[in-house]
């Protein structure tokens, strides 16, 4: 047995060293990374190989080497933060399809917390959204199978399936005495990335539900159409990013570039490697995917100066926060709503062999003025949590193993967001007990959307103040 274990140890140390050398990313050129790879933790690797050997020899049933190694890789990545993960063939393929705006499933963004699946956000116009699944819901059963003991990938695979097949999710919800059962019918999720309409003469409404490959082009088409349909000169625009979970970085740059001056800094990233240090600007170089015509080139000139309000909430994450942060820093738009999610980390998809990949957190996002988004989010200029469509207030900072905000680490300060939310919950607790919120979410962009109404009124107020200022200047 000892000889067997020694052989296993040597083999695995060799395998791990070989894997690290074979992952020949450009970042490996950095001196610090090179030095760390040259000093492998031999004792820890020996322990790993001993555990592997014990499972192979003593586990109650035979286990394939492939399964053990795959689970070890999963464990390495899952233990880092909520957004790093190993993607097998199927998951890697679905990730690629998802960024194109069409995929199968329920339409729900989830993470794992305390062994249960926690809902980050339902995606608009999907089975999960229509059924009334809410941010903060804890999924405890999928059909008749308990979630406890599953990995996040396993749970997600169970929720996926052929369109038109049903699935029952059993959910624990804060404020509900008993678990809730939701029966949903799986569907092909086709996400309309950009929605737009004229809410009043001269006032345009544009909603971005997710940042996909063609979001920048779709936005340009929507703006052009709105201007052509308006019978009066455009007076104001409302950009709605509520419950937008993010998506592609270049699309976030394209959306920002539509409203910002040419070549303005949109966002920059800081990480350990040279590849993780980027400055992304409002320039076709940073938002076009390959050669092609600049779809923002022929937009009406006034789109750069038209008064704007950007709507955000706790479901606005990642790419949404990049756009909101850039517009806020340049004072290009009034940000209105509630504190955003706070996902300010960069995930890089690193393809491996056999059509698999790892999704690895490699950097943090910073707004043009140097504010870190991570575990903090964007604070609106006009804070209005009363009209937030989601009372759960789940944020990045609530997730297990979340990456800390680097600026708070450097200053020794801790975010007070959790305390503010807790105080707010205490103050509104009695009201919530007396009148629980309906399971039916308010549809964004409709006459029942109170925050949209407030945004329109704010734009009108801005226009009135501008007229008064002009009148005074003329009189003077």
């Amino acid at each position: 047995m000892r000889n067997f274990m020694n052989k296993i140890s040597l083999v695995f140390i060799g395998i791990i060293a070989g894997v690290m050398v074979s992952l020949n990313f450009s970042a490996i050129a950095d001196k610090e990374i090179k030095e760390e790879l040259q000093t492998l933790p031999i004792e820890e690797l020996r322990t790993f190989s001993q555990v592997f050997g014990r499972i192979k020899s003593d586990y109650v049933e035979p286990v394939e080497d492939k399964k053990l190694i795959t689970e070890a890789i999963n464990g390495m990545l899952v233990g880092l933060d909520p957004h790093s993960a190993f993607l097998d063939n199927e998951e890697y393929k679905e990730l690629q399809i998802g960024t194109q705006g069409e995929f199968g499933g329920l339409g729900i963004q989830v993470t794992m917390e305390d062994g249960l699946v926690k809902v980050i956000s339902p995606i608009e116009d999907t089975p999960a959204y229509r059924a009334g699944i809410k941010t903060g819901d804890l999924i405890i059963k999928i059909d008749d199978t308990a979630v406890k003991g599953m990995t996040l990938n396993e749970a997600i695979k169970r929720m996926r399936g052929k369109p038109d097949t049903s699935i029952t999710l059993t959910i624990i919800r804060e404020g509900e005495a008993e678990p809730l059962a939701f029966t949903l019918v799986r569907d092909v999720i086709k996400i309309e990335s950009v929605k737009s309409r004229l809410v009043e003469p001269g006032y345009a409404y544009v909603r971005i539900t997710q940042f996909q490959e063609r979001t920048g082009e779709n936005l340009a088409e929507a703006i052009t159409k709105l201007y052509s349909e308006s019978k009066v000169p455009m007076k104001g625009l409302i950009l709605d990013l509520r419950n937008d979970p993010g998506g592609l970085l270049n699309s976030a740059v394209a959306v920002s570039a539509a409203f910002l001056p040419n070549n303005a800094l949109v966002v920059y990233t800081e990480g350990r490697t040279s590849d993780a240090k980027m400055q992304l600007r409002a320039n076709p170089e940073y938002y076009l995917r390959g050669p092609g015509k600049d779809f923002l080139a022929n937009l009406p000139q006034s789109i750069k100066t038209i008064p704007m309000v950007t709507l955000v909430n706790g479901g606005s994450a990642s790419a949404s926060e990049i756009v909101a942060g850039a517009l806020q820093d340049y004072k290009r738009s009034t940000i209105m709503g509630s504190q955003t999610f706070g996902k300010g980390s960069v995930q890089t998809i690193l393809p491996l062999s056999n059509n698999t990949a790892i999704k690895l957190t490699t950097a943090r996002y910073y707004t043009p003025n140097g504010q870190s988004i991570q575990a903090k989010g964007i604070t609106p200029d006009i804070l209005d949590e009363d009209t937030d469509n989601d009372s759960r207030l789940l944020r990045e900072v609530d997730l297990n193993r979340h990456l800390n905000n680097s600026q708070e680490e450097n200053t020794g300060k801790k975010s007070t967001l959790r305390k503010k939310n807790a105080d707010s919950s205490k103050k509104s607790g009695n009201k919530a007990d007396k009148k629980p919120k309906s399971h039916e979410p308010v549809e964004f962009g409709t006459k029942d959307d109170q925050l949209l109404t407030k945004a329109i009124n704010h734009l009108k107020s801005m226009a009135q103040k501008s007229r008064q200022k002009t009148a005074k200047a003329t009189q003077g």
Side-chain angles (χ1 to χ4, degrees), residues 9 152 341:
S9 297
L152 182 60
F341 186 80

Side-chain angles (χ1 to χ4, degrees), residues 344-364:
S345 59
V346 183
Q347 280 68 51
T348 304
I349 306 301
L350 303 170
L352 304 176
S353 58
N354 301 321
N355 292 319
T356 62
I358 60 174
K359 182 172 67 170
L360 189 67
T361 300
T362 55
R364 290 180 174 90

Side-chain angles (χ1 to χ4, degrees), residues 176-430:
E176 298 287 348
E178 301 290 334
L180 305 173
F182 294 85
T183 298
L184 299 84
V185 177
R186 296 180 179 94
D187 198 358
V188 174
I189 309 299
K190 295 182 179 180
I191 298 175
E192 188 180 356
S193 177
V194 179
K195 302 178 181 181
S196 62
R197 67 184 181 90
L198 290 170
V199 289
E200 287 186 20
Y203 291 94
Y205 172 80
V206 176
R207 170 154 178 74
I208 299 178
T209 59
Q210 197 176 71
F211 289 84
Q212 302 167 356
E213 285 185 2
R214 287 181 51 82
T215 296
E217 295 169 77
N218 293 340
L219 175 66
E221 292 166 2
I223 291 172
T224 302
K225 184 179 178 183
L226 288 167
Y227 268 77
S228 65
E229 289 178 349
S230 183
K231 305 299 183 183
V232 299
M234 201 67 75
K235 302 173 185 176
L237 184 143
I238 297 150
L239 178 64
D240 193 348
L241 301 176
R242 288 172 294 176
N243 282 11
D244 183 331
L248 297 177
L249 177 58
N250 70 295
S251 292
V253 175
V255 170
S256 302
F259 307 108
L260 293 176
N262 185 50
N263 213 41
L265 178 63
V266 174
V267 65
Y268 69 92
T269 65
E270 290 288 345
R272 294 173 60 206
T273 69
S274 56
D275 286 353
K277 296 175 171 58
M278 297 185 294
Q279 286 193 356
L280 303 176
R281 297 183 174 275
N283 187 303
E285 174 187 351
Y286 298 101
Y287 57 77
L288 291 183
R289 295 176 71 90
K293 184 180 178 182
D294 180 8
F295 44 78
L296 300 181
N298 297 319
L299 287 178
Q301 288 187 351
S302 67
I303 200 65
K304 300 285 187 181
T305 56
I306 185 173
M308 280 183 68
V309 172
T310 300
L311 305 181
V312 297
N313 68 356
S316 306
S318 194
S320 301
E321 297 174 287
I322 288 171
V323 174
L327 296 178
Q328 185 180 57
D329 280 6
Y330 285 101
K331 301 187 186 305
R332 177 64 189 88
S333 173
T334 300
I335 311 300
M336 180 183 290
S338 54
Q339 192 84 11
T340 61
F341 186 80
K343 184 188 176 295
S345 59
V346 183
Q347 280 68 51
T348 304
I349 306 301
L350 303 170
L352 304 176
S353 58
N354 301 321
N355 292 319
T356 62
I358 60 174
K359 182 172 67 170
L360 189 67
T361 300
T362 55
R364 290 180 174 90
Y365 290 121
Y366 295 85
T367 70
N369 285 351
Q371 296 300 310
S372 173
I373 297 170
Q374 176 60 24
K376 181 181 179 183
I378 301 298
T379 301
D381 301 307
I382 300 176
L383 194 62
D384 191 330
E385 293 187 335
D386 293 337
T387 53
D388 195 337
N389 199 40
D390 171 25
S391 62
R392 302 280 79 88
L393 294 174
L394 177 73
R395 303 289 196 274
E396 172 83 6
V397 74
D398 296 312
L399 303 180
N400 287 337
R401 303 179 308 278
H402 68 268
L403 195 67
N404 291 329
N405 185 295
S406 59
Q407 291 169 336
E408 290 180 350
E409 285 178 350
N410 293 336
T411 60
K413 295 179 181 178
K414 294 294 180 183
S415 174
T416 58
L417 181 61
R418 290 296 91 220
K419 185 178 185 301
K420 288 180 180 178
N421 289 340
D423 292 343
S424 176
S425 299
K426 287 176 183 177
K427 289 177 183 177
S428 61
N430 293 334

